[in-house]
Coordinates of all heavy atoms in Angstrom, one line a residue:
P28 N 19.2 -9.3 -5.7 CA 18.6 -7.9 -5.6 C 18.5 -7.2 -7.0 O 17.5 -6.5 -7.2 CB 19.6 -7.2 -4.7 CG 20.2 -8.3 -3.8 CD 20.3 -9.4 -4.8
E29 N 19.4 -7.4 -7.9 CA 19.3 -6.8 -9.2 C 18.1 -7.3 -10.0 O 17.6 -6.5 -10.8 CB 20.6 -7.0 -10.0 CG 21.9 -6.4 -9.3 CD 23.2 -6.9 -10.0 OE1 23.1 -7.6 -11.0 OE2 24.3 -6.6 -9.5
D30 N 17.7 -8.5 -9.7 CA 16.5 -9.0 -10.4 C 15.2 -8.9 -9.6 O 14.2 -9.4 -10.1 CB 16.8 -10.5 -10.8 CG 18.0 -10.7 -11.6 OD1 18.3 -9.8 -12.5 OD2 18.8 -11.7 -11.4
A31 N 15.3 -8.3 -8.5 CA 14.1 -8.2 -7.6 C 13.1 -7.2 -8.3 O 13.5 -6.4 -9.2 CB 14.5 -7.7 -6.3
P32 N 11.9 -7.2 -7.9 CA 10.8 -6.3 -8.5 C 11.3 -4.9 -8.5 O 11.9 -4.4 -7.6 CB 9.6 -6.5 -7.5 CG 9.8 -7.9 -7.0 CD 11.3 -8.1 -6.8
E33 N 10.9 -4.2 -9.6 CA 11.2 -2.8 -9.7 C 10.4 -1.9 -8.8 O 10.8 -0.7 -8.5 CB 11.0 -2.3 -11.2 CG 12.0 -3.0 -12.2 CD 13.4 -2.7 -11.9 OE1 13.7 -1.5 -11.4 OE2 14.3 -3.5 -12.1
A34 N 9.2 -2.4 -8.4 CA 8.4 -1.6 -7.5 C 8.6 -2.1 -6.0 O 8.6 -3.3 -5.8 CB 6.9 -1.8 -7.9
P35 N 8.6 -1.2 -5.1 CA 8.8 -1.5 -3.7 C 7.5 -2.2 -3.1 O 6.4 -2.0 -3.7 CB 9.1 -0.2 -3.0 CG 8.4 0.8 -3.8 CD 8.6 0.3 -5.2
E36 N 7.6 -2.9 -2.1 CA 6.5 -3.5 -1.4 C 6.5 -2.9 0.1 O 7.5 -2.8 0.7 CB 6.6 -5.0 -1.3 CG 5.4 -5.7 -0.6 CD 5.6 -7.2 -0.5 OE1 6.5 -7.8 -1.2 OE2 4.7 -7.9 0.2
F37 N 5.3 -2.6 0.5 CA 5.1 -2.1 1.9 C 4.4 -3.1 2.7 O 3.3 -3.6 2.3 CB 4.4 -0.7 1.9 CG 5.2 0.4 1.2 CD1 5.0 0.5 -0.2 CD2 6.0 1.2 1.9 CE1 5.7 1.5 -0.8 CE2 6.7 2.2 1.3 CZ 6.6 2.4 -0.1
I38 N 4.9 -3.4 3.9 CA 4.3 -4.3 4.8 C 4.2 -3.7 6.2 O 5.0 -2.8 6.6 CB 4.9 -5.7 4.9 CG1 6.4 -5.6 5.5 CG2 5.0 -6.4 3.5 CD1 7.0 -6.9 5.8
E39 N 3.2 -4.1 7.0 CA 3.1 -3.7 8.4 C 3.2 -4.9 9.3 O 2.6 -5.9 9.2 CB 1.8 -2.9 8.6 CG 1.7 -1.6 7.8 CD 0.4 -0.9 8.0 OE1 -0.5 -1.4 8.8 OE2 0.2 0.2 7.4
I40 N 4.1 -4.7 10.4 CA 4.3 -5.8 11.4 C 3.9 -5.2 12.7 O 4.3 -4.2 13.1 CB 5.8 -6.2 11.4 CG1 6.2 -6.7 10.1 CG2 6.0 -7.3 12.5 CD1 7.7 -7.1 10.0
E41 N 3.0 -6.0 13.4 CA 2.5 -5.6 14.7 C 3.3 -6.4 15.8 O 3.5 -7.6 15.7 CB 1.0 -5.9 14.8 CG 0.4 -5.5 16.2 CD -1.1 -5.8 16.3 OE1 -1.7 -6.1 15.3 OE2 -1.5 -5.9 17.5
F42 N 3.7 -5.6 16.8 CA 4.4 -6.2 17.9 C 3.6 -6.2 19.2 O 2.9 -5.3 19.5 CB 5.7 -5.4 18.1 CG 6.8 -5.7 17.1 CD1 6.8 -5.0 15.9 CD2 7.7 -6.7 17.3 CE1 7.8 -5.2 15.0 CE2 8.7 -6.9 16.3 CZ 8.7 -6.2 15.2
L43 N 3.9 -7.2 20.1 CA 3.3 -7.2 21.4 C 4.4 -7.6 22.4 O 5.0 -8.7 22.2 CB 2.1 -8.2 21.5 CG 1.5 -8.4 22.9 CD1 0.8 -7.0 23.3 CD2 0.4 -9.5 22.8
N44 N 4.8 -6.8 23.3 CA 5.9 -7.0 24.3 C 7.2 -7.5 23.6 O 7.8 -8.4 24.0 CB 5.4 -8.1 25.3 CG 4.2 -7.7 26.0 OD1 3.2 -8.5 26.1 ND2 4.1 -6.5 26.5
G45 N 7.5 -6.8 22.4 CA 8.7 -7.1 21.7 C 8.7 -8.2 20.7 O 9.7 -8.4 20.0
D46 N 7.6 -9.0 20.6 CA 7.5 -10.1 19.6 C 6.5 -9.7 18.5 O 5.5 -9.1 18.8 CB 7.1 -11.4 20.3 CG 8.1 -11.9 21.3 OD1 9.3 -11.5 21.2 OD2 7.7 -12.7 22.2
A47 N 6.9 -10.1 17.3 CA 6.0 -9.9 16.2 C 4.8 -10.9 16.3 O 5.0 -12.1 16.4 CB 6.7 -10.1 14.9
V48 N 3.6 -10.3 16.1 CA 2.4 -11.2 16.3 C 1.4 -11.1 15.1 O 0.5 -11.9 15.0 CB 1.6 -10.8 17.6 CG1 2.4 -11.1 18.8 CG2 1.2 -9.3 17.6
A49 N 1.6 -10.1 14.2 CA 0.8 -10.0 13.0 C 1.5 -9.3 11.9 O 2.4 -8.5 12.1 CB -0.5 -9.2 13.4
I50 N 1.1 -9.7 10.7 CA 1.6 -9.0 9.5 C 0.4 -8.6 8.6 O -0.5 -9.3 8.4 CB 2.5 -10.0 8.6 CG1 3.7 -10.4 9.5 CG2 2.9 -9.3 7.3 CD1 4.5 -11.5 8.8
N51 N 0.4 -7.3 8.3 CA -0.7 -6.7 7.5 C -2.0 -6.9 8.1 O -3.0 -7.1 7.4 CB -0.6 -7.1 6.1 CG 0.6 -6.7 5.4 OD1 1.2 -5.6 5.7 ND2 1.0 -7.4 4.3

């Protein structure tokens, strides 16, 4: 984690009936 990128990354996860079905 100390060597991880200095800038954050934002992602979006879509769910259907409790299960993840799509990313971004």
Side-chain angles (χ1 to χ4, degrees):
E29 297 170 5
D30 301 324
E33 294 298 326
E36 180 181 354
F37 295 88
I38 64 170
E39 293 179 0
I40 301 177
E41 183 182 341
F42 285 86
L43 179 64
N44 304 131
D46 294 340
V48 295
I50 299 175
N51 293 336

